[in-house]
Amino acid sequence: TIVGGSSIIHGDLNLENALVGPGGLIWLIDFAETREGHVLYDFARLGAEVVAHILAPEAGSPQAFLSAWRQNRADPTTLAGTLFALPARLRPDAATASEYELCLLVACLGALKHENLDALARACLYLAAADLATRRP
């Protein structure tokens, strides 16, 4: 059981549903799955998308991904670090960070079912989930 906050969520937040417009403003589209849900669901799902579609291809190999993932997660100036800094912007407590990491772990494992992922993306999602699992208390 996970005790966490509930709110109205997008429900399908992914890279294709976030558009960058003039002036760098971000527009969200496709609210067909909007519903009440866990406050961190959208961020975790978007995090898994970032792992699969940005960080994995950027790394080029599972080994390079895991090394960069571990090195950059504490640096909020990197994309991986930004993923880990998100919960503090919502609620600045240690429980939120742990809760988010669990949500991200589940989102990475859940993303493995998508047929549009190549072997590198799948390997990196699995490695991210495994690394997050080793950090669990």
Side-chain angles (χ1 to χ4, degrees), residues 72 74-82:
N72 294 336
D75 182 357
T77 65
T78 66
L79 189 51
T82 300

Side-chain angles (χ1 to χ4, degrees), residues 10 12-18 28 30 42 45-46 49:
H10 183 277
D12 188 24
L13 189 58
N14 62 65
L15 295 172
E16 293 175 353
N17 289 338
L28 299 180
D30 189 7
D42 284 333
R45 176 128 188 244
L46 186 60
E49 284 267 319

Side-chain angles (χ1 to χ4, degrees), residues 109-124:
L109 291 177
L112 292 171
K113 69 182 176 197
H114 297 296
E115 295 178 10
N116 66 333
L117 297 176
D118 62 19
L120 176 60
R122 289 178 191 281
C124 293

Side-chain angles (χ1 to χ4, degrees), residues 51 55-73 119-128 131:
V51 167
L55 297 178
E58 187 178 90
S61 75
Q63 297 81 4
F65 166 81
L66 188 57
S67 176
W69 174 257
R70 287 179 172 162
Q71 180 180 353
N72 294 336
R73 68 178 165 217
L120 176 60
R122 289 178 191 281
C124 293
L125 284 165
Y126 182 79
L127 287 172
D131 183 64

Side-chain angles (χ1 to χ4, degrees), residues 29-40:
I29 62 170
D30 189 7
F31 289 87
E33 294 192 34
T34 299
R35 62 187 182 279
E36 186 171 334
H38 192 282
V39 295
L40 297 172

